[in-house]
Amino acid sequence: MATYQYCTPEWLAESAVRYEQNPKLKRAMQKLIIIVAFKIYANPELGIDQDILFSASINRGDIKKLGFISEAEAKKEVDFILAASPQQWAKILRKESMFAGDVMLGRIVVEHGSKPGVIKIAPYSTAFVDALTQVDVQYPDEMSPDELEQYRNRVNEFRTELGV
């Protein structure tokens, strides 16, 4: 099985493909209508030189969009912007930490939208995490120095290409 690097277009694209092929996940999100952006705070030591956002648009179980977005677009288009460090997002995706608890404790910051609104969607967080982890994911803290430099270059390259 291929391994996809965290927070790259390839990871999001393959996650969306796998989600569409997974009726169990689609059923789990059947009642959800939302557009949410996830902000990953910059951490140059982990190859992320500037904050980066990706968004998911879900309409009754169908993913309409899963991709990177500029902060300006996110503020106009999404219901919520949720922000955290790359390490905190990795803990969520590795299932070492729980989304709702991290929101309540301020480890995940609600930058746009309301905290009560985020808590209402928290029951869907497990299915969403499952959707993003159907593939093997390599996180920056698992990369060698050479891999980390290649990752930094890749992130900066696609950000320029996508205008994000």
PDB file of all heavy atoms in Angstrom, residues 6 11 18 34 39 66 69 81 89 98 110 113 119-120 127 140 146 153-154:
ATOM      1  N   TYR A   6       1.421  13.605   4.938  1.00  0.00           N
ATOM      2  CA  TYR A   6       0.418  14.444   5.589  1.00  0.00           C
ATOM      3  C   TYR A   6       0.362  15.823   4.944  1.00  0.00           C
ATOM      4  O   TYR A   6       1.390  16.392   4.590  1.00  0.00           O
ATOM      5  CB  TYR A   6       0.770  14.571   7.072  1.00  0.00           C
ATOM      6  CG  TYR A   6      -0.040  15.580   7.826  1.00  0.00           C
ATOM      7  CD1 TYR A   6      -1.369  15.332   8.105  1.00  0.00           C
ATOM      8  CD2 TYR A   6       0.523  16.771   8.254  1.00  0.00           C
ATOM      9  CE1 TYR A   6      -2.130  16.256   8.799  1.00  0.00           C
ATOM     10  CE2 TYR A   6      -0.227  17.699   8.956  1.00  0.00           C
ATOM     11  CZ  TYR A   6      -1.553  17.437   9.221  1.00  0.00           C
ATOM     12  OH  TYR A   6      -2.296  18.359   9.912  1.00  0.00           O
ATOM     13  N   TRP A  11      -2.495  13.170  -0.571  1.00  0.00           N
ATOM     14  CA  TRP A  11      -3.165  12.600   0.599  1.00  0.00           C
ATOM     15  C   TRP A  11      -4.661  12.915   0.566  1.00  0.00           C
ATOM     16  O   TRP A  11      -5.497  12.037   0.753  1.00  0.00           O
ATOM     17  CB  TRP A  11      -2.502  13.133   1.878  1.00  0.00           C
ATOM     18  CG  TRP A  11      -3.229  12.843   3.152  1.00  0.00           C
ATOM     19  CD1 TRP A  11      -3.548  11.605   3.652  1.00  0.00           C
ATOM     20  CD2 TRP A  11      -3.714  13.792   4.088  1.00  0.00           C
ATOM     21  NE1 TRP A  11      -4.204  11.746   4.864  1.00  0.00           N
ATOM     22  CE2 TRP A  11      -4.316  13.084   5.150  1.00  0.00           C
ATOM     23  CE3 TRP A  11      -3.691  15.188   4.156  1.00  0.00           C
ATOM     24  CZ2 TRP A  11      -4.886  13.713   6.246  1.00  0.00           C
ATOM     25  CZ3 TRP A  11      -4.253  15.812   5.248  1.00  0.00           C
ATOM     26  CH2 TRP A  11      -4.844  15.077   6.271  1.00  0.00           C
ATOM     27  N   ARG A  18     -11.026   7.098  -1.584  1.00  0.00           N
ATOM     28  CA  ARG A  18     -11.330   5.985  -0.682  1.00  0.00           C
ATOM     29  C   ARG A  18     -12.649   6.214   0.064  1.00  0.00           C
ATOM     30  O   ARG A  18     -13.402   5.279   0.295  1.00  0.00           O
ATOM     31  CB  ARG A  18     -10.202   5.773   0.321  1.00  0.00           C
ATOM     32  CG  ARG A  18      -8.859   5.495  -0.309  1.00  0.00           C
ATOM     33  CD  ARG A  18      -8.591   4.014  -0.466  1.00  0.00           C
ATOM     34  NE  ARG A  18      -7.292   3.789  -1.037  1.00  0.00           N
ATOM     35  CZ  ARG A  18      -6.242   3.328  -0.382  1.00  0.00           C
ATOM     36  NH1 ARG A  18      -6.355   3.010   0.888  1.00  0.00           N
ATOM     37  NH2 ARG A  18      -5.097   3.164  -0.995  1.00  0.00           N
ATOM     38  N   ILE A  34     -22.061  20.513   5.821  1.00  0.00           N
ATOM     39  CA  ILE A  34     -21.075  21.427   6.414  1.00  0.00           C
ATOM     40  C   ILE A  34     -19.945  21.721   5.443  1.00  0.00           C
ATOM     41  O   ILE A  34     -19.630  20.904   4.575  1.00  0.00           O
ATOM     42  CB  ILE A  34     -20.487  20.807   7.708  1.00  0.00           C
ATOM     43  CG1 ILE A  34     -19.702  21.845   8.493  1.00  0.00           C
ATOM     44  CG2 ILE A  34     -19.658  19.589   7.403  1.00  0.00           C
ATOM     45  CD1 ILE A  34     -19.345  21.391   9.887  1.00  0.00           C
ATOM     46  N   LYS A  39      -7.016  24.483   9.783  1.00  0.00           N
ATOM     47  CA  LYS A  39      -5.778  25.250   9.658  1.00  0.00           C
ATOM     48  C   LYS A  39      -4.682  24.523  10.420  1.00  0.00           C
ATOM     49  O   LYS A  39      -4.853  24.152  11.578  1.00  0.00           O
ATOM     50  CB  LYS A  39      -5.940  26.655  10.232  1.00  0.00           C
ATOM     51  CG  LYS A  39      -4.659  27.493  10.138  1.00  0.00           C
ATOM     52  CD  LYS A  39      -4.749  28.799  10.888  1.00  0.00           C
ATOM     53  CE  LYS A  39      -5.407  29.858  10.070  1.00  0.00           C
ATOM     54  NZ  LYS A  39      -5.296  31.199  10.723  1.00  0.00           N
ATOM     55  N   LEU A  66     -12.642  18.358  -1.141  1.00  0.00           N
ATOM     56  CA  LEU A  66     -11.637  18.083  -0.122  1.00  0.00           C
ATOM     57  C   LEU A  66     -10.324  18.560  -0.714  1.00  0.00           C
ATOM     58  O   LEU A  66      -9.753  17.906  -1.589  1.00  0.00           O
ATOM     59  CB  LEU A  66     -11.578  16.590   0.224  1.00  0.00           C
ATOM     60  CG  LEU A  66     -10.584  16.187   1.316  1.00  0.00           C
ATOM     61  CD1 LEU A  66     -10.924  16.867   2.643  1.00  0.00           C
ATOM     62  CD2 LEU A  66     -10.572  14.675   1.489  1.00  0.00           C
ATOM     63  N   ILE A  69      -7.274  25.492   0.545  1.00  0.00           N
ATOM     64  CA  ILE A  69      -8.037  26.720   0.389  1.00  0.00           C
ATOM     65  C   ILE A  69      -7.234  27.866   1.010  1.00  0.00           C
ATOM     66  O   ILE A  69      -6.501  27.652   1.977  1.00  0.00           O
ATOM     67  CB  ILE A  69      -9.429  26.564   1.055  1.00  0.00           C
ATOM     68  CG1 ILE A  69     -10.357  27.729   0.751  1.00  0.00           C
ATOM     69  CG2 ILE A  69      -9.308  26.346   2.560  1.00  0.00           C
ATOM     70  CD1 ILE A  69     -11.801  27.486   1.188  1.00  0.00           C
ATOM     71  N   ILE A  81     -13.616  27.430  10.908  1.00  0.00           N
ATOM     72  CA  ILE A  81     -12.173  27.271  10.717  1.00  0.00           C
ATOM     73  C   ILE A  81     -11.644  26.764  12.053  1.00  0.00           C
ATOM     74  O   ILE A  81     -11.783  27.422  13.083  1.00  0.00           O
ATOM     75  CB  ILE A  81     -11.458  28.578  10.323  1.00  0.00           C
ATOM     76  CG1 ILE A  81     -11.976  29.105   8.981  1.00  0.00           C
ATOM     77  CG2 ILE A  81      -9.940  28.354  10.265  1.00  0.00           C
ATOM     78  CD1 ILE A  81     -11.404  30.463   8.570  1.00  0.00           C
ATOM     79  N   TRP A  89      -2.897  18.072  15.303  1.00  0.00           N
ATOM     80  CA  TRP A  89      -3.692  17.401  14.266  1.00  0.00           C
ATOM     81  C   TRP A  89      -3.228  15.960  14.090  1.00  0.00           C
ATOM     82  O   TRP A  89      -4.044  15.049  13.905  1.00  0.00           O
ATOM     83  CB  TRP A  89      -3.623  18.160  12.940  1.00  0.00           C
ATOM     84  CG  TRP A  89      -4.413  19.428  12.911  1.00  0.00           C
ATOM     85  CD1 TRP A  89      -3.952  20.667  12.578  1.00  0.00           C
ATOM     86  CD2 TRP A  89      -5.806  19.597  13.211  1.00  0.00           C
ATOM     87  NE1 TRP A  89      -4.973  21.592  12.663  1.00  0.00           N
ATOM     88  CE2 TRP A  89      -6.117  20.962  13.049  1.00  0.00           C
ATOM     89  CE3 TRP A  89      -6.830  18.731  13.611  1.00  0.00           C
ATOM     90  CZ2 TRP A  89      -7.391  21.478  13.254  1.00  0.00           C
ATOM     91  CZ3 TRP A  89      -8.113  19.249  13.825  1.00  0.00           C
ATOM     92  CH2 TRP A  89      -8.374  20.601  13.639  1.00  0.00           C
ATOM     93  N   MET A  98      -8.822  13.079  21.402  1.00  0.00           N
ATOM     94  CA  MET A  98     -10.215  13.166  20.946  1.00  0.00           C
ATOM     95  C   MET A  98     -10.558  14.602  20.529  1.00  0.00           C
ATOM     96  O   MET A  98     -10.261  15.555  21.264  1.00  0.00           O
ATOM     97  CB  MET A  98     -11.170  12.702  22.046  1.00  0.00           C
ATOM     98  CG  MET A  98     -10.989  11.235  22.426  1.00  0.00           C
ATOM     99  SD  MET A  98     -11.291  10.091  21.080  1.00  0.00           S
ATOM    100  CE  MET A  98     -13.011  10.362  20.785  1.00  0.00           C
ATOM    101  N   VAL A 110     -11.207  27.391  17.655  1.00  0.00           N
ATOM    102  CA  VAL A 110     -12.275  27.715  16.716  1.00  0.00           C
ATOM    103  C   VAL A 110     -12.041  29.168  16.295  1.00  0.00           C
ATOM    104  O   VAL A 110     -12.382  30.094  17.015  1.00  0.00           O
ATOM    105  CB  VAL A 110     -13.671  27.526  17.355  1.00  0.00           C
ATOM    106  CG1 VAL A 110     -14.761  27.863  16.334  1.00  0.00           C
ATOM    107  CG2 VAL A 110     -13.835  26.112  17.889  1.00  0.00           C
ATOM    108  N   GLY A 113     -16.664  30.671  13.326  1.00  0.00           N
ATOM    109  CA  GLY A 113     -17.795  29.858  13.757  1.00  0.00           C
ATOM    110  C   GLY A 113     -17.827  29.830  15.276  1.00  0.00           C
ATOM    111  O   GLY A 113     -17.025  30.482  15.935  1.00  0.00           O
ATOM    112  N   ILE A 119     -19.124  21.736  18.655  1.00  0.00           N
ATOM    113  CA  ILE A 119     -19.454  20.606  19.535  1.00  0.00           C
ATOM    114  C   ILE A 119     -20.622  19.809  18.954  1.00  0.00           C
ATOM    115  O   ILE A 119     -20.664  18.580  19.069  1.00  0.00           O
ATOM    116  CB  ILE A 119     -19.735  21.086  20.975  1.00  0.00           C
ATOM    117  CG1 ILE A 119     -18.466  21.721  21.571  1.00  0.00           C
ATOM    118  CG2 ILE A 119     -20.240  19.960  21.848  1.00  0.00           C
ATOM    119  CD1 ILE A 119     -17.227  20.831  21.555  1.00  0.00           C
ATOM    120  N   LYS A 120     -21.544  20.490  18.269  1.00  0.00           N
ATOM    121  CA  LYS A 120     -22.669  19.779  17.640  1.00  0.00           C
ATOM    122  C   LYS A 120     -22.206  18.835  16.528  1.00  0.00           C
ATOM    123  O   LYS A 120     -22.858  17.835  16.266  1.00  0.00           O
ATOM    124  CB  LYS A 120     -23.683  20.772  17.069  1.00  0.00           C
ATOM    125  CG  LYS A 120     -24.508  21.461  18.122  1.00  0.00           C
ATOM    126  CD  LYS A 120     -25.506  22.405  17.483  1.00  0.00           C
ATOM    127  CE  LYS A 120     -26.292  23.149  18.537  1.00  0.00           C
ATOM    128  NZ  LYS A 120     -27.220  24.119  17.948  1.00  0.00           N
ATOM    129  N   ALA A 127     -15.751   9.597  12.171  1.00  0.00           N
ATOM    130  CA  ALA A 127     -15.900   9.193  10.769  1.00  0.00           C
ATOM    131  C   ALA A 127     -14.996  10.028   9.868  1.00  0.00           C
ATOM    132  O   ALA A 127     -14.396   9.508   8.921  1.00  0.00           O
ATOM    133  CB  ALA A 127     -17.353   9.314  10.321  1.00  0.00           C
ATOM    134  N   PRO A 140       5.178  14.592   9.388  1.00  0.00           N
ATOM    135  CA  PRO A 140       6.507  15.203   9.380  1.00  0.00           C
ATOM    136  C   PRO A 140       7.431  14.715  10.499  1.00  0.00           C
ATOM    137  O   PRO A 140       8.635  14.582  10.291  1.00  0.00           O
ATOM    138  CB  PRO A 140       6.213  16.695   9.517  1.00  0.00           C
ATOM    139  CG  PRO A 140       4.868  16.859   8.904  1.00  0.00           C
ATOM    140  CD  PRO A 140       4.122  15.603   9.277  1.00  0.00           C
ATOM    141  N   ASP A 146      16.374  14.430   5.331  1.00  0.00           N
ATOM    142  CA  ASP A 146      16.269  14.561   3.866  1.00  0.00           C
ATOM    143  C   ASP A 146      14.813  14.542   3.410  1.00  0.00           C
ATOM    144  O   ASP A 146      14.414  15.333   2.547  1.00  0.00           O
ATOM    145  CB  ASP A 146      17.042  13.446   3.149  1.00  0.00           C
ATOM    146  CG  ASP A 146      18.552  13.630   3.227  1.00  0.00           C
ATOM    147  OD1 ASP A 146      19.005  14.753   3.524  1.00  0.00           O
ATOM    148  OD2 ASP A 146      19.268  12.640   2.980  1.00  0.00           O
ATOM    149  N   ASN A 153       9.874  21.363   0.443  1.00  0.00           N
ATOM    150  CA  ASN A 153       9.890  21.828  -0.944  1.00  0.00           C
ATOM    151  C   ASN A 153       8.569  21.495  -1.639  1.00  0.00           C
ATOM    152  O   ASN A 153       8.039  22.318  -2.396  1.00  0.00           O
ATOM    153  CB  ASN A 153      11.069  21.227  -1.704  1.00  0.00           C
ATOM    154  CG  ASN A 153      12.397  21.762  -1.223  1.00  0.00           C
ATOM    155  OD1 ASN A 153      12.486  22.841  -0.645  1.00  0.00           O
ATOM    156  ND2 ASN A 153      13.460  20.982  -1.433  1.00  0.00           N
ATOM    157  N   ARG A 154       8.041  20.306  -1.400  1.00  0.00           N
ATOM    158  CA  ARG A 154       6.773  19.893  -2.015  1.00  0.00           C
ATOM    159  C   ARG A 154       5.625  20.779  -1.533  1.00  0.00           C
ATOM    160  O   ARG A 154       4.792  21.223  -2.323  1.00  0.00           O
ATOM    161  CB  ARG A 154       6.481  18.413  -1.703  1.00  0.00           C
ATOM    162  CG  ARG A 154       5.136  17.927  -2.187  1.00  0.00           C
ATOM    163  CD  ARG A 154       5.075  17.857  -3.714  1.00  0.00           C
ATOM    164  NE  ARG A 154       3.737  17.498  -4.130  1.00  0.00           N
ATOM    165  CZ  ARG A 154       2.974  18.234  -4.932  1.00  0.00           C
ATOM    166  NH1 ARG A 154       3.421  19.368  -5.447  1.00  0.00           N
ATOM    167  NH2 ARG A 154       1.759  17.832  -5.250  1.00  0.00           N
TER     168      ARG A 154
END
